[in-house]
Amino acid sequence: MAGRPDDAAEAGHRMRADARRNRARILAAAEEVFAEKGEGASTEEVASRAGVAIGTVFRHFPTKRDLLAAIMKELRARLVGEAAALAARADPATAFFDYFAFLVERAARVRTVLGLLAAEGMGVEPGDQIRALQQAVGELLAAAQRAGAVRPDVGIDEVMAILTAACQGALHGAWDDDLRRRTLAVVFDGLRPRP
């Protein structure tokens, strides 16, 4: 007995959902593996950590370059999405500081992927992403200033300069968690209104 037409459509929808879940698992695993192992990371290790066959990885990402570009796109979207989520759900007095700390913590993963992309001969044009990130930081900054949590004389240019310096310091200085927390405490103290 033949299945109904909607049975086939439902099976196709399930497969698409499975494929989306596999893709997400592969990207999450690849981000971890590349962050841990750098250039020495293998696609086989990504597949193993994602719990999928190596063929599944290649079906979604035919080359290592494709996989790295997808990780970078996902990271960018996550960075901007986190700002929107914080703006929507968090206290404006803390959201700006939470996001600043989140960006500094994530900088190492972004740098690893950027370095690997460069090694693959694929440059990344940051223009639109930097603008989106600056806009997200600017919105959180303005909300924090309205809440009285950040000095009113601090502008987005200063914040982006400090944020860039902190991210670079964390990357090149190989800051551990404790040093990162202590450094951010000093930075945040300078951004808060004076008594």
Side-chain angles (χ1 to χ4, degrees):
M1 179 171 149
R4 296 172 311 176
D6 18 328
D7 288 345
E10 186 177 323
H13 185 302
R14 261 196 320 269
M15 287 177 62
R16 286 190 301 271
D18 288 347
R20 282 193 304 271
R21 280 193 297 275
N22 282 343
R23 186 176 194 281
R25 286 200 329 249
I26 292 166
L27 286 173
E31 183 182 336
E32 289 175 7
V33 169
F34 287 125
E36 291 168 15
K37 308 243 173 156
E39 279 188 57
S42 71
T43 311
E44 289 79 9
E45 190 168 355
V46 170
S48 174
R49 190 157 318 176
V52 300
I54 188 70
T56 304
V57 174
F58 287 125
R59 212 172 12 264
H60 287 280
F61 308 103
T63 67
K64 185 176 181 180
R65 180 182 292 190
D66 294 330
L67 180 56
L68 290 166
I71 294 169
M72 192 68 231
K73 183 177 179 183
E74 178 79 16
L75 280 167
R76 289 175 187 154
R78 205 175 320 139
L79 293 178
V80 174
E82 180 66 16
L86 281 169
R89 74 170 189 269
D91 176 1
T94 60
F96 168 78
F97 297 107
D98 290 346
Y99 190 60
F100 195 111
F102 169 77
L103 289 175
V104 173
E105 189 271 328
R106 297 304 292 178
R109 288 184 186 247
V110 172
R111 181 173 184 260
T112 299
V113 175
L114 284 172
L116 290 168
L117 281 168
E120 289 283 315
M122 182 176 171
V124 175
E125 177 51 54
D128 290 339
Q129 289 74 31
I130 295 296
R131 283 189 287 279
L133 184 63
Q134 183 166 334
Q135 181 179 347
V137 172
E139 290 170 7
L140 290 171
L141 172 63
Q145 287 172 322
R146 284 192 299 273
V150 174
R151 293 167 37 180
D153 62 325
V154 173
I156 187 63
D157 291 339
E158 294 87 2
V159 167
M160 292 305 290
I162 295 167
L163 180 57
T164 300
C167 287
Q168 290 299 317
L171 290 171
H172 297 295
W175 296 354
D176 62 23
D177 290 345
D178 185 53
L179 179 57
R180 188 175 63 243
R181 275 192 297 274
R182 287 184 285 123
T183 302
L184 288 178
V186 172
V187 169
F188 293 167
D189 189 51
L191 291 169
R192 289 192 171 95
R194 295 183 179 100

